[in-house]
Amino acid sequence: MKKSVTRIILLLIVVLFGGAMYYLYQKNSEDPVTYETDQASKQTIIKKTVATGSILPLEEVLIKPNISGVIEEVFVEGGDYVKSGDLICRIKVVPNLNALNDARNNIDEAKIGLDDQLRNLERQKGLFSKGVISKVDLERAQVSYDQAKQAYGAANKRYDIVKTGTTRGYGNAANTQIRATVSGMILEVPVEVGNQVIESNNFNEGTTIAAIADVEKMIFEGKVDESEVGKISENLPLEITVGAIENKKFDAVLDYIAPKGKEENGAIQFEIKGTLKKQDSVFIRAGLSANASIILAKVDSVLAVKEALVQFDEETKDPYVEIATGDQEFERRDIELGISDGIYVEIKSGIAEDEKIKIWNALEEPEEKS
């Protein structure tokens, strides 16, 4: 009995010893971890934030009528260049019956007054010829007649204006002829022949006949999040990219940041505006979507490394890299960092350009499936 127990114990010892030897053999047969290295290089680093928005004219003028009516004829279309005073469209007046009736009554009243002053003038002339009244009284009667005559003529013109929108002698000043008030490009003509339009007055802004703008002066108008607005300031340079214009960047200057934000989709957004520098070779259409890269900082040809090579001390949080001193031998080197663009970070001090830096977080390539 004792012999069998002893044999079992010895057998277990042999099995355990063999397993340990096999484990050590497998462990030693594995390839040791080999770290690759990289080097610092000269880079131009741009730290920036991005705002989304659109391209709009600096000044856009809306042309509105001074009289209500129906569009009779349109002389321009979107894309046309016009000068101040050029004819845009003509309106056919649809008279208001109340206004037309009042104008007709004014004519009748003026005619009654004119006839009365004419009879008075003829009477005064007769009395003056007989020496009953002085010349002053005659001249006073003549003035009253002239005033009544002028009032009668004004009432007739008022009637014509109410009925047709113009009258004899006014020519290009007629309200029915809508003209450009500024020079520029017609951006849009939102009305067509036959559309009714409403005049611009104190109670109604009126119907827009056309929109005119100087397309040589364009701005970027966009919005930035509240988390980014504290990083930007006026006069910072912008790089504008327009989705509809490939491989082209437009320079601009940030010249407006809204003092008050607006809530949109649960986040506070601040409006910004930047004036584009004139581009003679490229025509930018108003309303195109665009992105603006706001350049916060920029350095040219500085020593930089990839951010992935930088490590941080667990206690002090100071940055450092590991420099190769031999074959798979490395030493820690503290460094001073500058600006970063998310890929490269500026190295102000700590390493030289020719030193090799350990790639400490390289990912293993996945094994190919058979």
Side-chain angles (χ1 to χ4, degrees):
M1 182 67 179
K2 293 182 179 179
K3 289 183 179 180
S4 60
V5 172
T6 303
R7 289 175 182 175
I8 292 174
I9 293 173
L10 291 174
L11 181 60
L12 289 173
I13 293 173
V14 171
V15 171
L16 290 173
F17 180 79
M21 294 300 293
Y22 180 77
Y23 174 77
L24 293 173
Y25 173 77
Q26 289 291 101
K27 192 70 175 176
N28 292 331
S29 64
E30 293 180 359
D31 295 332
V33 177
T34 302
Y35 289 101
E36 296 183 355
T37 60
D38 199 351
Q39 289 181 266
S41 60
K42 296 289 185 179
Q43 299 286 339
T44 295
I45 301 177
I46 302 175
K47 184 180 180 181
K48 57 188 178 182
T49 185
V50 178
T52 59
S54 57
I55 304 298
L56 300 173
L58 177 61
E59 296 177 353
E60 182 175 343
V61 177
L62 302 180
I63 306 299
K64 299 178 182 294
N66 293 325
I67 192 169
S68 299
V70 176
I71 299 296
E72 185 176 31
E73 190 173 2
V74 179
F75 301 101
V76 296
E77 61 181 10
D80 292 346
Y81 283 91
V82 295
K83 295 181 179 179
S84 179
D86 286 353
L87 190 61
I88 294 178
C89 74
R90 182 182 293 114
I91 295 177
K92 178 182 179 182
V93 175
V94 178
N96 182 282
L97 291 180
N98 289 332
L100 195 63
N101 183 60
D102 290 343
R104 183 74 255 181
N105 289 336
N106 289 337
I107 292 177
D108 294 339
E109 291 178 2
K111 184 65 169 65
I112 293 172
L114 178 61
D115 292 342
D116 181 60
Q117 293 299 327
L118 178 59
R119 288 193 298 269
N120 182 59
L121 178 61
E122 294 296 334
R123 186 183 308 113
Q124 295 296 333
K125 285 181 178 179
L127 294 174
F128 177 74
S129 63
K130 295 177 181 180
V132 176
I133 62 173
S134 65
K135 186 176 181 180
V136 173
D137 293 332
L138 177 63
E139 291 175 347
R140 188 178 294 114
Q142 182 68 46
V143 170
S144 297
Y145 171 76
D146 292 340
Q147 290 176 340
K149 186 176 180 181
Q150 184 180 11
Y152 178 71
N156 279 277
K157 289 183 178 180
R158 174 61 181 167
Y159 178 80
D160 291 340
I161 292 174
V162 171
K163 185 177 180 179
T164 65
T166 186
T167 188
R168 182 181 301 176
Y170 279 82
N172 293 337
N175 290 339
T176 56
Q177 296 181 352
I178 309 303
R179 298 181 178 274
T181 56
V182 295
S183 300
M185 176 184 284
I186 301 289
L187 298 183
E188 63 173 341
V189 182
V191 295
E192 297 179 356
V193 174
N195 288 158
Q196 290 186 337
V197 294
I198 301 173
E199 65 179 287
S200 176
N201 53 45
N202 294 335
F203 306 101
N204 195 310
E205 65 178 7
T207 306
T208 299
I209 300 294
I212 305 176
D214 184 357
V215 294
E216 299 295 327
K217 299 177 181 179
M218 306 293 282
I219 65 170
F220 168 83
E221 184 175 300
K223 296 179 180 179
V224 296
D225 190 79
E226 59 181 329
S227 61
E228 300 290 337
V229 72
K231 303 176 183 178
I232 63 178
S233 61
E234 295 180 356
N235 299 320
L236 285 177
L238 304 179
E239 286 185 354
I240 308 297
T241 55
V242 181
I245 305 176
E246 298 181 355
N247 304 321
K248 188 70 176 179
K249 291 184 178 180
F250 304 93
D251 295 326
V253 177
L254 180 62
D255 48 25
Y256 174 78
I257 304 172
K260 180 181 178 181
K262 296 181 180 179
E263 184 176 355
E264 294 184 7
N265 300 323
I268 304 299
Q269 302 288 324
F270 288 82
E271 184 183 40
I272 63 170
K273 295 180 182 179
T275 304
L276 272 68
K277 296 181 180 178
K278 185 178 179 181
Q279 297 284 337
D280 295 329
S281 59
V282 180
F283 174 65
I284 306 177
R285 299 181 183 276
L288 288 176
S289 298
N291 293 326
S293 297
I294 307 173
I295 301 175
L296 305 175
K298 181 179 180 180
V299 288
D300 293 320
S301 301
V302 295
L303 190 64
V305 299
K306 295 179 180 177
E307 279 198 354
L309 302 179
V310 180
Q311 305 179 60
F312 293 89
D313 190 279
E314 294 183 358
E315 296 182 358
T316 65
K317 305 303 180 183
D318 292 333
Y320 69 92
V321 294
E322 294 185 65
I323 302 297
T325 58
D327 186 19
Q328 293 299 302
E329 295 180 356
F330 302 92
E331 69 173 9
R332 170 172 168 167
R333 185 79 60 79
D334 292 334
I335 57 176
E336 182 183 357
L337 302 180
I339 69 171
S340 168
D341 62 1
I343 300 176
Y344 285 93
V345 59
E346 178 188 6
I347 303 297
K348 292 187 174 181
S349 64
I351 60 173
E353 185 175 358
D354 57 348
E355 291 183 305
K356 296 182 179 181
I357 305 170
K358 176 182 176 180
I359 304 177
W360 62 277
N361 58 353
L363 299 177
E364 296 182 0
E365 294 184 0
E367 296 182 359
E368 294 183 359
K369 295 181 179 180
S370 59

